[in-house]
Amino acid sequence: MKYICFGYLDVQQWATLSPGEQNAMIDACFAYDEGLKKDGHWAGGEGLQGPDTATMVRYEKGKVSVTDGPYAETKELLGGLLMLEARDLNHAIHLISNHPGVKMGPWEIRPAADLAQMIRDSELRRSGSK
Amino acid sequence: MASIAPGGIPDLLDSIFRSESRRILASLIRLLGDFDLAEDGMHDAFAAALEAWPRDGVPDRPRAWLVSTGRFKAIDRLRRTARFSTPLDTLAEPPDEGPSEGLEEEGVEDDRLRLIFTCCHPALPPEACTALTLREVCGLTTEAIARAFLVAPSTLAQRIVRAKARIRDAGIPYEIPGRAEWPGRLDAVLRVVYLVFNEGYSASSGEALTRPDLSGEAIRLGRLLLELRPDAEVMGLLALMLLQESRRVARVSPGGDLVLLEDQDRSRWDRALIVEGKTLVEQALASPRVGAYTLQAAIAAVHAEAAEASATDWAQIIGLYTLLARVAPSPVVELNRAVAVAMRDGPQAGLDLVDALLARRELEGYHLVHSARADLCRRLGRTEEALVSYRQALGLVQQGPERRFLERRVAELQTSFSDPLSK
């Protein structure tokens, strides 16, 4: 099964680390990710730039509006995404529990939704309407 | 084939259903990976047995026959209804030689343990864990569980449906956790078992003080867990439940009112349960890591050892509460410790601790902190303060018998308070 894991970062905690500790944490995270790739559990992932770089596009009152955001009010920010190939939820929890990043903030694990049928139905609808 | 008159088959199947259906269901859930499919398959298998056994004779291993047939019927059902939510290719094909062969008995006991861990997975909401465990592991009906937890049957049914969907969609596995995950996952299982017990032993609301059927189920689960894995905390929890259960009869007056531990007729305590509980506590205390359930059981065992309330070894109880506050810190544990201190060192010593607790404001909404304070003030002759605290407790209590107990205390105090001769 594919699981998408949202890694949150406790910015305040991160700021208390010395540059040396920060580097050690970063290296440990990447070393762990290499292990995930080697064992076939890595199904993709990206880090995110800070929330101040985010752009929000939303549909409001019949128009699309573009603003900056999100509005970071919590101390934990979404820091990156990781896609896992895991046997089941316990396996995914196990893989994330050992990720060094878990010490820097919580992870949210969600199974990927299977949209295959939805896509097929939609394709049918669209080809029929032509 | 065992020889049994065809006319006796329905009775035989009925007794197999009563004693084996939970094991059969657990095995089918493992094999099919789907709760509902497994349940349908099991009922189909019993129906098939009712037809086949009078004709072909009773198979040598009836349970294996029923599991194997249940799996066969379920796969058949999937094919017929084309309900492919469980992909067919993930299910092993049933063996060709027919339903009565080819199913190993090994690991079948573990199927029930797997089912308990699945139903108590930490990724499920706690109230769903309890409902699912009672439904799938204990075989209680949805209506009975709904009655016990005072929710509408439709609400409870929905809770169970959602939990099953979550198990399927999130990929919660049907497995016993590995050594590394064992402690954390076992905690969730023990919490559910104790929750079921507590709902049975001291119902959170309603008129009846206890619901023996639920405590009975919890004790059965505790025994099952211990039989499957002899873990020290499982021992501790089972001991705790047995020791509390031993007092059930003495806890309630003929009129259905609560009788405090110190006022109970100790000759009515169940000796057999006490002996069994104490043996388990001693075993659990010998383990290198003593847990919270074991310590609570040890406290219950000290009470059980006292021939009368005045003979209670309060020093030992205070020591155990001090340990418990370290292993599982909680204001409720501190409250209980304060009450024990009052028993050893007098009400003023206890009141100081209770007031310090109340000053931290963590227990304000907990009726027992106010009734404990009321009782200590009463014993110190501070009647007015006692009445204030009893009324605070009355404003928070949810359960009929406890309410009546508090009302009785208030009435007694008011009589003595307004009567000038008694001062």
Side-chain angles (χ1 to χ4, degrees):
Chain A
M1 271 181 91
K2 195 167 280 176
Y3 290 88
I4 298 164
C5 310
F6 303 86
Y8 289 83
L9 179 72
D10 183 333
V11 192
Q12 289 166 12
Q13 194 193 342
W14 179 251
T16 63
L17 299 187
S18 72
E21 286 169 327
Q22 289 183 344
N23 283 342
M25 176 54 72
I26 291 165
D27 293 350
C29 285
F30 286 132
Y32 189 79
D33 290 350
E34 271 167 34
L36 288 175
K37 284 173 194 161
K38 196 161 63 59
D39 298 338
H41 298 314
W42 177 273
E46 291 292 347
L48 299 178
Q49 292 200 28
D52 51 334
T53 66
T55 306
M56 303 290 282
V57 177
R58 78 178 91 217
Y59 186 74
E60 260 175 345
K61 294 175 191 145
K63 277 199 294 197
V64 168
S65 73
V66 178
T67 57
D68 67 341
Y71 309 100
E73 284 164 1
T74 58
K75 62 180 180 136
E76 281 150 355
L77 302 171
L78 186 58
L81 300 176
L82 200 162
M83 267 181 261
L84 282 178
E85 189 54 55
R87 201 172 57 241
D88 52 38
L89 181 63
N90 280 6
H91 188 206
I93 293 172
H94 179 79
L95 292 171
I96 288 300
S97 310
N98 291 323
H99 198 293
V102 83
K103 294 183 184 128
M104 286 291 112
W107 286 78
E108 178 181 338
I109 302 175
R110 286 213 227 164
D114 182 1
L115 302 182
Q117 186 63 43
M118 215 190 266
I119 292 168
R120 273 195 299 275
D121 290 349
S122 167
E123 277 167 357
L124 267 175
R125 279 195 302 274
R126 284 177 285 152
S127 65
S129 67
K130 267 175 201 166
Chain B
M1 300 280 164
S3 67
I4 182 163
I9 300 283
D11 285 346
L12 174 72
L13 275 167
D14 198 44
S15 99
I16 292 178
F17 188 85
R18 258 181 284 119
S19 61
E20 301 281 357
S21 64
R22 292 299 113 189
R23 291 184 194 197
I24 293 169
L25 183 70
S27 295
L28 283 172
I29 293 173
R30 168 171 61 86
L31 292 166
L32 297 162
D34 184 302
F35 282 75
D36 298 325
L37 195 58
E39 191 152 333
D40 288 345
M42 180 176 73
H43 289 292
D44 288 349
F46 274 91
L50 202 55
E51 240 177 70
W53 293 5
R55 187 183 62 226
D56 308 336
V58 177
D60 293 335
R61 284 150 53 217
R63 193 209 308 164
W65 190 97
L66 286 160
V67 169
S68 186
T69 305
R71 178 167 64 159
F72 187 80
K73 293 280 179 191
I75 292 173
D76 211 34
R77 199 181 262 263
L78 273 182
R79 289 208 181 100
R80 261 183 300 137
T81 60
R83 201 183 75 189
F84 291 123
S85 59
T86 305
L88 269 181
D89 53 11
T90 64
L91 300 172
E93 284 290 307
D96 287 337
E97 64 267 37
S100 61
E101 299 294 327
L103 199 92
E104 78 294 359
E105 285 277 299
E106 275 167 51
V108 169
E109 276 313 312
D110 276 356
D111 280 341
R112 286 198 289 174
L113 192 55
R114 283 191 192 94
L115 184 55
I116 296 174
F117 274 99
T118 309
C119 292
C120 301
H121 198 277
L124 293 172
E127 69 274 11
C129 293
T130 337
L132 204 58
T133 307
L134 286 169
R135 175 82 183 78
E136 305 300 328
V137 185
C138 303
L140 263 58
T141 64
T142 305
E143 289 75 16
I145 305 165
R147 253 197 322 276
F149 289 92
L150 298 168
V151 295
S154 56
T155 309
L156 196 101
Q158 263 184 7
R159 224 175 252 176
I160 290 176
V161 166
R162 271 200 299 267
K164 284 179 183 171
R166 179 121 194 218
I167 289 171
R168 190 185 56 232
D169 299 341
I172 290 175
Y174 187 63
E175 69 170 28
I176 300 164
R179 192 182 296 249
E181 277 103 20
W182 178 261
R185 297 299 160 79
L186 184 64
D187 283 352
V189 170
L190 297 181
R191 193 197 62 230
V192 166
V193 175
Y194 196 41
L195 208 80
V196 172
F197 179 82
N198 269 327
E199 194 56 33
Y201 186 71
S202 175
S204 55
S205 52
E207 274 312 299
L209 190 63
T210 68
R211 296 165 199 229
D213 50 334
L214 281 183
S215 346
E217 280 304 328
I219 288 174
R220 212 168 60 83
L221 272 174
R223 286 190 201 283
L224 175 62
L225 276 172
L226 191 61
E227 188 187 305
L228 299 169
R229 291 293 150 99
D231 182 278
E233 268 295 83
V234 176
M235 252 174 235
L237 175 60
L238 180 57
L240 175 61
M241 295 191 294
L242 292 170
L243 288 163
Q244 290 187 338
E245 183 71 11
S246 74
R247 301 184 203 130
R248 173 189 293 283
V249 187
R251 272 181 89 221
V252 190
S253 76
D257 282 327
L258 181 73
V259 182
L260 291 184
L261 185 60
E262 55 185 278
D263 302 325
Q264 287 172 17
D265 175 0
R266 296 182 178 220
S267 69
R268 296 177 73 205
W269 288 358
D270 188 323
R271 288 289 133 196
L273 292 181
I274 291 176
V275 169
E276 191 188 352
K278 274 176 62 181
T279 313
L280 284 167
V281 176
E282 279 155 24
Q283 271 176 279
L285 282 172
S287 98
R289 278 190 54 222
V290 174
Y293 291 115
T294 301
L295 287 170
Q296 291 175 76
I299 292 165
V302 176
H303 283 298
E305 275 162 14
E308 50 194 280
S310 60
T312 308
D313 185 349
W314 290 108
Q316 203 186 341
I317 287 178
I318 293 165
L320 288 166
Y321 271 125
T322 309
L323 266 177
L324 184 59
R326 207 174 302 155
V327 172
S330 105
V332 174
V333 171
E334 289 183 58
L335 174 63
N336 288 329
R337 189 178 172 279
V339 172
V341 167
M343 293 307 290
R344 186 188 61 180
D345 304 336
Q348 187 61 56
L351 188 61
D352 292 344
L353 290 172
V354 170
D355 281 340
L357 253 176
L358 271 169
R360 275 160 42 198
R361 310 184 78 114
E362 287 166 89
L363 283 181
E364 269 177 327
Y366 186 57
H367 72 275
L368 288 178
V369 76
H370 299 290
S371 67
R373 184 172 197 284
D375 186 57
L376 294 169
C377 289
R378 183 183 60 86
R379 280 154 59 188
L380 287 166
R382 288 152 65 169
T383 311
E384 248 172 306
E385 271 184 87
L387 278 169
V388 170
S389 289
Y390 275 128
R391 289 200 184 101
Q392 272 176 302
L394 271 168
L396 295 163
V397 74
Q398 303 262 338
Q399 193 203 52
E402 286 200 42
R403 161 171 300 277
R404 288 201 299 278
F405 169 80
L406 291 169
E407 280 165 352
R408 222 166 42 235
R409 275 283 154 93
V410 169
E412 280 165 18
L413 272 186
Q414 274 173 334
T415 322
S416 64
F417 196 42
S418 57
D419 179 358
L421 290 178
S422 72
K423 277 196 196 166

